[in-house]
Amino acid sequence: RLLTSRRAPREQPAAPFYYFPCQRWLAVEEDDGQIVRELVPVDEAFVKKDSENDGQSLATLGLEQKAKSTTYTVKVKTGDKKNAGTDANVFITLYGSKDDTGIVSLKASKINKNKFERGKVDEFTVESVDIGDLKKIKIGHDNKGNSTGWFLEWVEIDAPSLGQCLKFPCGRWLDKSEDDGAIERIIFPAELQTTEYIPFVPYEITVYTSNIFGAGTDADVFIVLYGSDGICTQQKSLCLNKREQRMYFERNSVNQFIVELEDVGDIIEKIRIGHKGGGLNSGWHLDHVTIRRLLPNGK
């Protein structure tokens, strides 16, 4: 999801780069004590550094592939019935007008440590190449564990690149001893429950942490992009989890992300970047950030 590189992918000349210098602390105990800053873009030459000697092959390939992929947020509601939860391994396949995702295991819920418990909603991230318009899903489990039977209420899939949030109602058991005995089901979206919005677009965000003592952070770093006429994106964390927070934003590091956000238009007027503090090593010295809006399918 995140790779380090000092040079951006070469084959996307249409999108301009925006350079946001900072060169200040985002730390309670340093500078003015602020952990969030608003940065405005400056001319590229102001922050241009000697960065021509960095290798790029694998990093570039990974980022170009990422730019051609999309991220789905999958919410799964377990029914509020006796023995509705399951300890089995649950999987899902998304089918689109162009392709399908293949079988994806739903392993780590963003909301609950114990997933698929009675009456609970779990949230997962599924990353895939563009499969086109979502047509149906297949969801099921492997029937392994102590309590395997599962009552699935519904699945909701948010597809930012499509500008759609679709609801897949189920309301049935996936249990060998209940209903028709099936442990996987194909479900179609309920058209009247589909929410439409303006599609998200991918942005390439490169974060340069300074080369001074204690510059790195393990805090949850987030960003907001602002376009003209007051348009802005949601506040977006750049790391998916605490493991990534520990891995990235180290002293003298360059971390590059492809992030799907609301489209703020052709001009980025400013950004808001910061972290949520907490932990032992939250203070951060940010050198600068570069951003460009990628065109659909990396073109």
Side-chain angles (χ1 to χ4, degrees), residues 88-149:
N89 297 304
V90 174
F91 59 82
I92 193 170
T93 304
L94 280 53
Y95 295 88
S97 55
K98 299 178 184 176
D99 203 349
D100 64 72
T101 60
I103 296 172
V104 178
S105 295
L106 299 180
K107 290 183 177 178
S109 171
K110 288 186 170 183
I111 301 175
N112 304 305
K113 187 173 183 180
N114 294 323
K115 54 190 185 292
F116 310 122
E117 295 290 305
R118 174 179 173 174
K120 297 290 182 67
V121 176
D122 291 288
E123 183 179 316
F124 305 88
T125 298
V126 173
E127 200 172 283
S128 169
V129 296
D130 180 18
I131 61 172
D133 293 334
L134 274 173
K135 297 297 185 184
K136 64 181 180 181
I137 62 172
K138 180 166 69 174
I139 188 165
H141 61 79
D142 61 4
N143 207 44
K144 293 181 179 176
N146 295 323
S147 302
T148 58

Side-chain angles (χ1 to χ4, degrees), residues 3-10 17 19 44 47-60 63 204-212 250-257 287-292:
L3 297 154
T4 56
S5 171
R6 288 186 190 261
R7 293 172 62 192
R10 285 169 288 195
F17 271 101
Y19 292 79
E44 169 182 346
V47 292
K48 199 74 173 177
K49 295 194 172 185
D50 179 18
S51 58
E52 297 303 309
N53 58 353
D54 285 289
Q56 98 157 26
S57 54
L58 284 175
T60 299
L63 285 164
E204 178 189 276
I205 300 173
T206 309
V207 180
Y208 295 72
T209 299
S210 303
N211 185 20
I212 64 174
E250 296 293 304
R251 173 180 175 174
N252 197 32
S253 69
V254 183
N255 299 124
Q256 198 164 57
F257 307 78
D287 191 84
H288 70 279
V289 179
T290 67
I291 299 177
R292 67 174 171 159

Side-chain angles (χ1 to χ4, degrees), residues 7-290:
R7 293 172 62 192
R10 285 169 288 195
E11 296 184 351
Q12 294 166 353
F17 271 101
Y18 287 84
Y19 292 79
F20 298 86
C22 180
Q23 297 170 350
R24 293 185 70 179
W25 284 99
L26 287 80
V28 173
E29 305 295 333
E30 302 281 354
D31 202 332
D32 59 359
Q34 299 300 307
I35 61 172
V36 179
R37 298 196 183 280
E38 290 194 349
L39 310 178
V40 294
V42 301
D43 185 79
E44 169 182 346
F46 187 80
V47 292
K48 199 74 173 177
K49 295 194 172 185
D50 179 18
S51 58
E52 297 303 309
N53 58 353
D54 285 289
Q56 98 157 26
S57 54
L58 284 175
T60 299
L61 176 62
L63 285 164
E64 286 178 350
Q65 288 173 339
K66 169 70 176 168
K68 294 178 182 179
S69 71
T70 190
T71 301
Y72 302 94
T73 297
V74 178
K75 291 184 177 178
V76 180
K77 172 69 184 293
T78 299
D80 191 8
K81 292 176 176 283
K82 185 180 180 182
N83 300 321
T86 185
D87 295 329
N89 297 304
V90 174
F91 59 82
I92 193 170
T93 304
L94 280 53
Y95 295 88
S97 55
K98 299 178 184 176
D99 203 349
D100 64 72
T101 60
I103 296 172
V104 178
S105 295
L106 299 180
K107 290 183 177 178
S109 171
K110 288 186 170 183
I111 301 175
N112 304 305
K113 187 173 183 180
N114 294 323
K115 54 190 185 292
F116 310 122
E117 295 290 305
R118 174 179 173 174
K120 297 290 182 67
V121 176
D122 291 288
E123 183 179 316
F124 305 88
T125 298
V126 173
E127 200 172 283
S128 169
V129 296
D130 180 18
I131 61 172
D133 293 334
L134 274 173
K135 297 297 185 184
K136 64 181 180 181
I137 62 172
K138 180 166 69 174
I139 188 165
H141 61 79
D142 61 4
N143 207 44
K144 293 181 179 176
N146 295 323
S147 302
T148 58
W150 185 34
F151 190 91
L152 172 61
E153 197 71 58
W154 48 257
V155 177
E156 182 182 274
I157 298 178
D158 191 3
S161 63
L162 299 175
Q164 284 188 328
C165 185
L166 300 98
K167 197 73 160 281
F168 296 80
C170 180
R172 297 183 68 177
W173 287 98
L174 285 78
D175 188 338
K176 288 197 170 181
S177 59
E178 298 279 356
D179 203 330
D180 60 358
I183 58 171
E184 65 177 43
R185 297 195 182 279
I186 291 175
I187 314 173
F188 295 88
E191 289 187 22
L192 294 177
Q193 296 184 59
T194 297
T195 304
E196 305 270 350
Y197 57 91
I198 298 172
F200 284 23
V201 296
Y203 290 89
E204 178 189 276
I205 300 173
T206 309
V207 180
Y208 295 72
T209 299
S210 303
N211 185 20
I212 64 174
F213 179 75
T217 185
D218 292 334
D220 183 3
V221 173
F222 60 82
I223 195 166
V224 182
L225 277 52
Y226 293 82
S228 56
D229 301 321
I231 299 170
C232 69
T233 68
Q234 63 183 297
Q235 180 172 299
K236 179 75 171 180
S237 292
L238 294 179
C239 292
L240 283 174
N241 50 47
K242 291 189 183 303
R243 182 185 64 84
E244 288 192 356
Q245 288 172 212
R246 290 192 297 269
M247 288 173 61
Y248 302 111
F249 309 117
E250 296 293 304
R251 173 180 175 174
N252 197 32
S253 69
V254 183
N255 299 124
Q256 198 164 57
F257 307 78
I258 305 293
V259 182
E260 286 179 324
L261 292 167
E262 296 92 339
D263 190 354
V264 298
D266 293 331
I267 297 173
I268 304 174
E269 292 198 341
K270 68 177 181 179
I271 63 172
R272 187 170 184 263
I273 189 166
H275 60 78
K276 298 178 182 177
L280 296 174
N281 303 301
S282 63
W284 182 34
H285 199 283
L286 171 63
D287 191 84
H288 70 279
V289 179
T290 67

